Amino acid sequence: MNEPRLDDTAATGGAPTRPEQGRRRTIRRVAVSAALAFAVGGGVLLGAAGGGQSQTNSTDTYRQLSLLGDVFEKVRAQYVEEVSDEKLVEAAINGMLTSLDPHSSYLSAKSFQDMRVQTKGEFGGLGIEVTMENGFVKVVSPIDDTPASEAGLQPGDYITHLDGEAVLGLTLSDAVERMRGKVGTSITLTIRRAEEEPFDVEITRAIITIKSVRSRVIQDIGYIRITTFNEQTTVGLQESVSEIKEELGDRLHGFVIDLRNNPGGLLDQAISVTDAFLERGEIVSTRGRDEANASRVNATPGDITDGTPVVVLINGGSASASEIVAGALQDHRRAIILGTQSFGKGSVQTILPLQGNAAMRLTTARYYTPSGRSIQAKGIEPDITVELAKIEKIEEGRRRREADLRGALVNPDDSDAPAAQPPAEVPTPGEAASEENEDPLEDYQLARAVDLLRGFHLFQNRVVN
C-alpha cells in the first residue's frame, strides 16, 4: 500500500497541503503580530488614562487585525489571478489612508521621489494639481504655462477617463501615476465640466519647470503672479518686489498679488510670503488631535512693500497655502481680497517616511486664520466679489458735444481752443483703438484690481490735499 504524498490534493486544485497551510498560518501570524505590536503599544498609552478601557480596546483591535489577516489569507489563496504579497499589503495600506479623507495617501518609493522633485520646481507630467472627489479625479488647478493649462483645463473639471479607461475605482496615487509618463508621449483625458457634455482632451507630457513667481508693471501698479508655493517662491517674491520698486519709484501706487489657480504647496513658503507683507501678528495656527501640539506662527518686523496698498486675487482654484496667505492678509486688513470664493482646503498634510524609501501623506492638523476661523470646505470669501467675465469694448461712435455746436461759446480758460469741428464719421467696430489702451487688460478681475488701487491712490491724494 502506497503512502499518500503531501501534495496530492494540491495537484487537483483541492484544499491546500499541510505545509502550505502551515506557511499561510505563519504569514498570517507575522502580519497580525506586527500590526498588533503597534496596536498594543497604543493600548499601553491608553492604559495610563484608563486601565479597563485599554484592555477592551486591545481586544477589539486584535479581533479587527485577525479579520485583516483572514482577508489577506483568502485573497492570496483564492483570488482569480495570482497577486503578489507586496501589492496586497500596499493596497491595504492605501485603502486605510484614502478612506480617511481625500488628501491622505500612501506614496510608493517612486511617488515619494516624484513629490520631492516637484517641490523643488521641476518634474515631468501634465502640470495639473488634482484631488479625488466622489471617485473621480477633480482638477484643483492647472499650473501656468504647462500642457494642462494650454489645453484649457479649468478648476472644477472632473477627469472621468484616462485613455478611455474609467478613473472610478482607482486611487488618487494610481491616477496621478498614469497621467505621468515619458516626456513627449500623449494621454487622452475625458473631461466632465458643469453644464457641458463630456469631451476628450489630448495632452502631450512635458518636463514641467515651474517658475513660481512672475511679475510685470501695469502702468503704475506692480503685478505679481504666484503660481505655486515651492522652494523658490519667497526668493522670487522678494526679487519681484525689489525690481518693481526700482522701476516705478515714487510712481508705485500698489501691488496686485495674483493667487488664482494656485493649488498651494509648502506651508513654510506660505508663511514666509505672508510674513513679507506684515509687521506683526499671527499668520496661521495649526491644531491637531492633541491640543498640546497646537502651534502658532507670528510675523516678524519688516514689510517689504513699505505699507504700499495690496489687492490679492483669488478664485476657486486657490487652495491650501494660497488660502493661508489670503486669510492672514484679510484678517489683518493688510490687503483687499478680490475675486471669487476659494477652494476650501483647511487641512495640513505631513509626509511621514516609511521603510523601503516609501512614505505616507497623512492629514495631521487643521489650520486656522489669525481670527480663529477654519476655512475647511468653506474657503475664503473675498471682500469684493468679482466673477470672471469677458471684456468687450462697445464702439458707440463719436457723439456731438457742446464744442461741436455752431456758435458755441469759447472756454475763457482756453483762449487757444480750436474751432469747432464737424462730427466725425462713425468708425466700424474695432477699427480705432485708444492710445491709452494700447495694451488693454483683457482680464476683467485683474482690471478691477488695478482700478481699485488707482482709485484708492487718487482718493488718498485728494484727502491729503
Side-chain angles (χ1 to χ4, degrees):
M1 182 176 178
N2 295 328
E3 292 290 332
R5 294 190 311 175
L6 294 176
D7 59 349
D8 279 348
T9 53
T12 60
T17 63
R18 291 170 187 169
E20 180 68 11
Q21 286 178 325
R23 191 161 71 90
R24 287 178 185 167
R25 281 196 295 268
T26 301
I27 291 174
R28 178 183 166 196
R29 280 199 301 269
V30 170
V32 173
S33 298
L36 186 59
F38 173 78
V40 171
V44 172
L45 294 177
L46 291 171
Q53 185 65 34
S54 172
Q55 183 63 34
T56 302
N57 289 341
S58 295
T59 302
D60 291 342
T61 301
Y62 180 82
R63 291 195 186 113
Q64 296 298 320
L65 291 173
S66 180
L67 174 62
L68 175 62
D70 285 340
V71 172
F72 180 88
E73 179 183 342
K74 292 184 187 306
V75 170
R76 186 173 178 274
Q78 300 179 27
Y79 184 65
V80 65
E81 295 178 354
E82 186 175 348
V83 186
S84 69
D85 293 347
E86 180 183 2
K87 185 174 181 179
L88 288 176
V89 171
E90 183 174 316
I93 295 172
N94 203 39
M96 180 195 306
L97 293 171
T98 55
S99 68
L100 300 174
D101 62 74
H103 308 292
S104 296
S105 63
Y106 174 75
L107 299 173
S108 65
K110 184 178 184 304
S111 298
F112 187 27
Q113 176 62 24
D114 289 343
M115 187 211 69
R116 285 185 288 189
V117 171
Q118 179 174 343
T119 58
K120 293 182 183 298
E122 183 173 307
F123 59 99
L126 305 180
I128 183 173
E129 182 78 13
V130 294
T131 187
M132 188 68 80
E133 187 173 296
N134 299 325
F136 295 112
V137 175
K138 182 179 181 180
V139 177
V140 175
S141 175
I143 300 170
D144 287 358
D145 302 325
T146 63
S149 66
E150 292 170 1
L153 296 190
Q154 300 177 7
D157 284 348
Y158 286 92
I159 301 173
T160 61
H161 293 74
L162 301 172
D163 279 335
E165 183 178 343
V167 167
L168 197 64
L170 296 178
T171 66
L172 182 60
S173 297
D174 289 338
V176 169
E177 189 66 28
R178 296 191 184 194
M179 285 188 279
R180 291 178 176 147
K182 187 176 180 180
V183 172
T185 60
S186 297
I187 183 172
T188 300
L189 310 183
T190 301
I191 304 298
R192 193 181 74 191
R193 186 174 293 167
E195 301 179 359
E196 293 186 25
E197 291 294 321
F199 58 94
D200 290 342
V201 177
E202 184 177 356
I203 305 178
T204 301
R205 300 178 178 93
I207 293 294
I208 309 300
T209 301
I210 301 177
K211 184 178 181 182
S212 63
V213 181
R214 295 179 174 86
S215 63
R216 61 188 171 103
V217 167
I218 303 175
Q219 297 184 17
D220 48 13
I221 303 298
Y223 171 77
I224 300 176
R225 164 78 174 141
I226 302 178
T227 61
T228 188
F229 289 88
N230 60 25
E231 294 176 2
Q232 309 166 6
T233 303
T234 301
V235 173
L237 173 67
Q238 293 169 342
E239 291 175 350
S240 294
V241 170
S242 178
E243 291 169 0
I244 291 171
K245 290 168 71 173
E246 183 177 351
E247 180 176 348
L248 290 179
D250 295 337
R251 296 186 296 115
L252 177 59
H253 295 164
F255 285 95
V256 175
I257 309 299
D258 191 349
L259 299 179
R260 292 174 299 175
N261 296 337
N262 182 326
L266 300 176
L267 176 61
D268 64 334
Q269 291 294 307
I271 290 171
S272 58
V273 165
T274 308
D275 193 5
F277 296 96
L278 297 176
E279 291 284 356
R280 65 183 68 83
E282 182 179 308
I283 294 175
V284 66
S285 63
T286 58
R287 307 173 202 171
R289 186 167 64 181
D290 186 354
E291 294 183 1
N293 293 330
S295 66
R296 297 179 185 273
V297 181
N298 294 311
T300 56
D303 179 349
I304 63 173
T305 67
D306 301 319
T308 304
V310 176
V311 171
V312 175
L313 292 175
I314 62 171
N315 66 0
S318 306
S320 192
S322 297
E323 295 171 298
I324 290 176
V325 175
L329 296 182
Q330 184 180 53
D331 282 359
H332 284 289
R333 301 183 179 181
R334 178 61 188 88
I336 293 176
I337 312 301
L338 185 148
T340 56
Q341 185 178 8
S342 64
F343 185 76
K345 180 178 178 293
S347 58
V348 179
Q349 282 68 48
T350 302
I351 304 299
L352 303 174
L354 302 173
Q355 62 183 14
N357 296 320
M360 65 178 181
R361 180 190 288 110
L362 185 66
T363 300
T364 54
R366 289 184 173 88
Y367 71 75
Y368 296 82
T369 69
S371 64
R373 56 182 170 144
S374 169
I375 57 89
Q376 175 61 30
K378 291 184 177 180
I380 298 292
E381 291 283 353
D383 299 308
I384 301 175
T385 298
V386 178
E387 298 288 345
L388 186 66
K390 182 179 180 181
I391 298 177
E392 182 178 358
K393 185 177 180 181
I394 300 176
E395 298 287 351
E396 297 184 273
R398 180 180 172 85
R399 293 181 178 272
R400 291 172 62 89
R401 303 172 59 205
E402 171 69 17
D404 297 325
L405 300 178
R406 188 183 300 277
L409 297 177
V410 176
N411 189 314
D413 296 330
D414 189 6
S415 58
D416 296 328
Q421 300 293 326
E425 295 183 4
V426 177
T428 57
E431 180 181 13
S434 169
E435 291 183 3
E436 295 181 357
N437 295 319
E438 286 183 3
D439 183 22
L441 288 174
E442 297 182 358
D443 184 335
Y444 181 62
Q445 292 171 323
L446 176 56
R448 288 288 304 273
V450 170
D451 288 344
L452 179 61
L453 288 169
R454 286 177 177 163
F456 181 70
H457 176 75
L458 180 63
F459 179 78
Q460 276 189 319
N461 281 349
R462 290 188 175 180
V463 169
V464 171
N465 293 332

